[in-house]
Amino acid sequence: MKKKFAKGMFFLCLLSLLCMVGRPVIDAKPANPFSGEVSLLKEEEDSCVLEVKVANQGEDFEGVVRLLFTGNDSDSNCAYDMQMTLPSAGEKQYTITVPKSNIIQTRGKGILAFMDQKEKVLQTVPFKDLFQGKTSGFQVGVLSDHFDRVTYMDLGGETYYLRNSEKPISLVEIKPEELETQLDGLYYLIIDQFDLSTLEQKKIEAIESWVDNGGALILGTGEYADKILGSFDSGFVELTLGKVSKPGEDNKAALAMTNMDSYYLFKESGIDFAKVAVAELDDPGFRYYETDCFPGWICSRGNGCVTVLSFSLGEDELQKASADACRTIYDETSSNASGMMGYSSWEDWGYLGRNAFGVIDHQNTSVDFTWPDIMIVLYVILVGPILYLILRKCKKSEWYWLGVPVLALVFIGVIFLYGQSMKVHDTRVYTVSVQCADGKDQGTLDTYYCAYHSGVKEWSLKLADCYTYGGAGLCGYGMSTGQSTPDDYHYRFCYGEDMTMGMKPESNFETGYLYASGTAQNSGQITVKDVILTNQTNSGSIENQTEYDFPYMFLMSDNYFMAIKDVKAGERVNLAQAKKQNRIVYEGEAQYMDDVYYNILDVYGNLQTNEEQYDLLAALFIGSCTAKQKCEWGAGQIVVSGVVADYDRTVDSKCVESSYGCLYTIAEQEASNAAD
């Protein structure tokens, strides 16, 4: 019996095994069917061209692929959506252009989010180091035999604020044989743990000349003090070298940190200067000052600066230095280099640009209070004598105290309905389109937007076909902190059959600032002849060879500004004659961008008349600052620009758009004249 039972069980198991083998295998649904990568194809002056590759190993996909960078400020976070159909086992790639100001502070880190047609997130794929260590930021050269021991001077990936811009620090390893070439474009040069006596004299002289022309030199000394300081010309580094302490010995820096609470940020980093070699330096010529931010001496030279540290940045103990401790070395150095603190505020104009759009909005927005005033007068009359006389005649005077609140409720309702009729039903949009008037058939069109809508519902607008990319505008540089989720965006650009831009407001009537770039037909050119624009000389002429009359034109040099009114199409204006004809709205020195803003918009009351069209002046300010950013400081260049009202419409959606145009040209001025 047992044998029969065992045989039965054997055949039953065998049959089950055969059935399992014969069954078709059903593939398990992959948990993460999507993959993607983002790479930098090209870095241009104002934008980055990215290539996005995506693949699908799951079911057919139809929806949106969202690219979002992590770490932007909340007011500049912008999502870039691509409508896509991706079949199972399919792959696709596309390119997308992003404004550099929207990406540079993130160091190329972000996510790709795959969402269905209802924008439900199916999967996110992170990407990082988009620039692969080649981030376009402040270039800091490092001449050292131990470059790897100074890499913490990149602030650990944090951004640095200089010349009104916030960008990452990009360390560049300097090769001695290429030193002269590599100096070009550097903001700082760090020389540390390197024997300068091995360099040819002409290379030493190249460093000295670079400093005189505005470079910031940081010299690390310690045990290398004699090898570094002794190689420069005696008039270049005028410090004398005394004793160099050995690690473990008491020294001046260690005592200052202990007894006088100096070098706070280094102390907070846990650095003990008693553990490093410290050079005792003295300044017999009284040209340097000894800072209490770190052990070191600082001296301005020409347009640049020399900072001599009493220690070497390559020491083991210095590897503990926090980003803030490193930042203070850069700060103290740049604050003493006049060439680094000069006229550079044109680079960051987000705040004033927003204010200028506020002026435009104010000039175009007026509320008619005529009917509310009439209704208030009627209410006072009705509630006062008329209601009383009517009730008295009807012998119902006791109803007066009931009639007053009833009439009040009626009038409140009328005022409410009147207010509803004035509600912003369509998105309100102001645009300033900026284009170079150089006589070519076509050119780049940069448009800045200020837009708002009532309510907190996300809104979007379809852009004209001439635009190819866009992003957040007038936002400046943010801090690269925090993480982003697919829903963590403030602005959104969608690509597909049409290109749309939109905003997710956080409050009623929240104003959004956006930017779009494309290509458009040019409208002629502005020519400049023999113009000299300084605080001593204003001469030469400009000619408006466009099809537009300019209510106002601006002329901007490195340090001077002039505004002229009523320049007709085809008209040539001689600057000297314009003054005699009282066509100069304002002129004066302009060392900083806010000098232009506050004077031309009459914050100080300096204009010739109070009858100017401030919305046109504000629009021209925005466009002129855009052009000014394309100039090289100190090169003697002049921006000449004109403004046009009721310019070409840029939005194809239903909205209330007020458009302004700014046409400009950049002309050269003789260096000798520019320096006057």
Side-chain angles (χ1 to χ4, degrees):
M1 183 69 181
K2 291 182 178 179
K3 289 183 178 181
K4 289 183 178 181
F5 178 76
K7 287 181 179 181
M9 290 299 295
F10 173 76
F11 283 114
L12 182 61
C13 291
L14 183 61
L15 181 62
S16 300
L17 183 61
L18 291 173
C19 290
M20 290 180 65
V21 172
R23 290 179 61 188
V25 178
I26 300 176
D27 292 333
K29 198 173 184 180
N32 296 306
F34 302 106
S35 61
E37 60 182 57
V38 183
S39 58
L40 177 65
L41 278 185
K42 183 168 56 172
E43 184 176 351
E44 299 180 332
E45 182 179 359
D46 299 317
S47 63
C48 294
V49 182
L50 311 178
E51 181 180 64
V52 182
K53 296 180 180 179
V54 294
N56 176 22
Q57 299 301 322
E59 299 177 353
D60 291 348
F61 168 77
E62 185 173 358
V64 173
V65 176
R66 172 170 295 168
L67 186 150
L68 184 66
F69 295 99
T70 59
N72 275 321
D73 275 357
S74 59
D75 70 342
S76 61
N77 241 14
C78 187
Y80 301 90
D81 290 358
M82 178 65 72
Q83 299 287 335
M84 183 171 295
T85 299
L86 191 60
S88 178
E91 297 181 358
K92 283 189 178 181
Q93 66 182 49
Y94 61 91
T95 60
I96 188 169
T97 304
V98 178
K100 190 177 290 186
S101 61
N102 288 191
I103 184 177
I104 196 68
Q105 66 268 35
T106 69
R107 295 185 75 86
K109 300 177 182 179
I111 58 173
L112 286 175
F114 295 82
M115 304 181 296
D116 63 19
Q117 291 180 309
K118 295 183 178 180
E119 296 194 6
K120 177 184 177 182
V121 179
L122 305 177
Q123 185 185 334
T124 60
V125 178
F127 61 87
K128 61 181 180 178
D129 199 15
L130 183 62
F131 293 100
Q132 296 180 347
K134 300 178 181 179
T135 309
S136 177
F138 297 117
Q139 303 291 310
V140 177
V142 178
L143 179 60
S144 175
D145 289 332
H146 305 284
F147 175 80
D148 60 314
R149 302 194 60 76
V150 192
T151 54
Y152 64 88
M153 288 297 290
D154 72 348
L155 309 185
E158 295 184 16
T159 52
Y160 179 65
Y161 186 86
L162 177 68
R163 299 185 67 171
N164 296 306
S165 293
E166 192 154 6
K167 304 177 185 178
I169 292 289
S170 296
L171 297 182
V172 178
E173 186 173 8
I174 301 297
K175 299 178 181 179
E177 63 274 13
E178 300 177 8
L179 187 143
E180 293 102 315
T181 303
Q182 289 184 290
L183 283 175
D184 186 33
L186 294 182
Y187 286 80
Y188 299 86
L189 173 62
I190 297 172
I191 302 178
D192 191 90
Q193 295 189 348
F194 184 83
D195 187 354
L196 275 179
S197 65
T198 61
L199 289 184
E200 299 175 26
Q201 185 58 32
K202 66 176 184 179
K203 296 183 184 295
I204 301 292
E205 293 173 356
I207 296 174
E208 295 174 353
S209 177
W210 174 79
V211 172
D212 289 334
N213 289 326
L217 179 63
I218 300 172
L219 301 175
T221 61
E223 295 177 345
Y224 282 76
D226 188 50
K227 296 178 180 178
I228 288 180
L229 301 181
S231 299
F232 288 106
D233 181 82
S234 59
F236 184 77
V237 180
E238 300 174 89
L239 295 175
T240 58
L241 175 63
K243 176 186 175 183
V244 178
S245 69
K246 295 181 180 180
E249 293 181 349
D250 284 337
N251 56 63
K252 183 179 177 181
L255 292 174
M257 178 179 281
T258 303
N259 299 333
M260 294 184 290
D261 203 26
S262 299
Y263 323 138
Y264 174 76
L265 292 173
F266 288 84
K267 186 176 182 179
E268 285 291 299
S269 300
I271 293 173
D272 182 0
F273 282 108
K275 296 181 179 180
V276 304
V278 175
E280 291 186 6
L281 303 171
D282 194 21
D283 176 28
F286 301 101
R287 290 203 56 193
Y288 286 73
Y289 83 89
E290 189 173 10
T291 175
D292 61 357
C293 294
F294 49 83
W297 297 74
I298 303 174
C299 176
S300 298
R301 280 202 61 88
N303 290 322
C305 177
V306 177
T307 293
V308 182
L309 306 175
S310 300
F311 56 93
S312 167
L313 293 169
E315 292 270 12
D316 290 342
E317 188 71 7
L318 268 296
Q319 306 302 308
K320 303 176 184 177
S322 66
D324 287 338
C326 300
R327 188 178 281 110
T328 194
I329 296 177
Y330 290 130
D331 288 344
E332 287 289 294
T333 304
S334 62
S335 64
N336 288 276
S338 60
M340 300 184 76
M341 301 303 293
Y343 182 60
S344 59
S345 60
W346 305 98
E347 297 177 9
D348 178 30
W349 54 287
Y351 173 73
L352 292 178
R354 292 184 180 204
N355 285 353
F357 265 123
V359 173
I360 294 173
D361 184 32
H362 177 73
Q363 293 292 312
N364 284 275
T365 305
S366 60
V367 179
D368 187 359
F369 287 99
T370 303
W371 280 107
D373 290 342
I374 293 174
M375 286 186 282
I376 290 172
V377 173
L378 289 175
Y379 172 73
V380 172
I381 295 173
L382 284 174
V383 169
I386 293 180
L387 178 62
Y388 174 76
L389 292 173
I390 292 175
L391 292 176
R392 182 179 178 183
K393 187 173 183 179
C394 296
K395 298 181 180 181
K396 299 290 184 181
S397 298
E398 66 276 12
W399 287 12
Y400 182 79
W401 300 111
L402 178 63
V404 170
V406 169
L407 278 176
L409 291 174
V410 170
F411 272 85
I412 289 172
V414 172
I415 293 293
F416 174 78
L417 292 175
Y418 179 79
Q420 288 295 105
S421 69
M422 300 179 67
K423 187 176 180 181
V424 179
H425 297 286
D426 296 322
T427 305
R428 190 72 172 92
V429 182
Y430 299 100
T431 64
V432 177
S433 297
V434 187
Q435 191 169 23
C436 182
D438 55 7
K440 297 179 181 178
D441 291 337
Q442 287 190 325
T444 300
L445 179 68
D446 296 311
T447 301
Y448 294 88
Y449 294 85
C450 168
Y452 57 84
H453 196 102
S454 60
V456 294
K457 185 178 180 181
E458 184 172 349
W459 52 262
S460 65
L461 300 169
K462 179 182 177 296
L463 294 177
D465 293 337
C466 63
Y467 293 102
T468 55
Y469 76 93
L474 300 176
C475 294
Y477 291 90
M479 297 298 293
S480 57
T481 57
Q483 299 295 323
S484 292
T485 63
D487 193 47
D488 184 19
Y489 65 90
H490 197 55
Y491 302 115
R492 175 159 62 156
F493 276 73
C494 299
Y495 299 86
E497 293 183 5
D498 300 314
M499 178 178 169
T500 65
M501 68 176 186
M503 174 185 176
K504 185 171 61 174
E506 298 177 355
S507 59
N508 271 310
F509 296 100
E510 181 182 357
T511 303
Y513 300 92
L514 300 102
Y515 163 82
S517 181
T519 303
Q521 195 77 20
N522 272 337
S523 303
Q525 67 182 50
I526 298 171
T527 59
V528 179
K529 184 177 180 181
D530 301 328
V531 168
I532 301 174
L533 192 66
T534 69
N535 56 0
Q536 297 178 353
T537 306
N538 307 146
S539 61
S541 64
I542 58 175
E543 185 173 357
N544 175 13
Q545 296 180 354
T546 74
E547 60 187 76
Y548 298 103
D549 295 336
F550 293 141
Y552 299 98
M553 291 190 75
F554 284 179
L555 288 83
M556 294 179 178
S557 66
D558 284 342
N559 53 20
Y560 205 78
F561 168 78
M562 179 183 288
I564 305 174
K565 62 182 179 181
D566 297 328
V567 181
K568 305 299 182 184
E571 181 183 3
R572 173 174 291 187
V573 178
N574 181 281
L575 300 188
Q577 292 178 355
K579 286 187 177 184
K580 295 178 181 179
Q581 297 167 352
N582 293 322
R583 297 176 65 180
I584 307 300
V585 178
Y586 178 81
E587 65 172 321
E589 292 188 11
Q591 290 293 330
Y592 299 96
M593 182 174 59
D594 54 1
D595 291 340
V596 176
Y597 176 82
Y598 291 118
N599 282 300
I600 200 60
L601 295 176
D602 210 24
V603 176
Y604 299 144
N606 292 332
L607 293 189
Q608 304 281 346
T609 172
N610 59 2
E611 299 177 355
E612 304 301 338
Q613 297 172 274
Y614 292 110
D615 59 331
L616 292 173
L617 290 170
L620 185 52
F621 171 81
I622 293 172
S624 300
C625 290
T626 302
K628 186 64 179 177
Q629 293 180 88
K630 302 180 185 298
C631 294
E632 181 182 352
W633 165 249
Q637 295 177 314
I638 302 174
V639 170
V640 181
S641 53
V643 67
V644 181
D646 300 322
Y647 202 60
D648 296 339
R649 187 176 172 88
T650 69
V651 178
D652 287 344
S653 298
K654 183 182 179 183
C655 68
V656 180
E657 179 180 358
S658 297
S659 59
Y660 300 83
C662 177
L663 305 180
Y664 73 91
T665 189
I666 298 175
E668 300 296 329
Q669 183 177 209
E670 292 294 330
S672 58
N673 293 329
D676 288 344

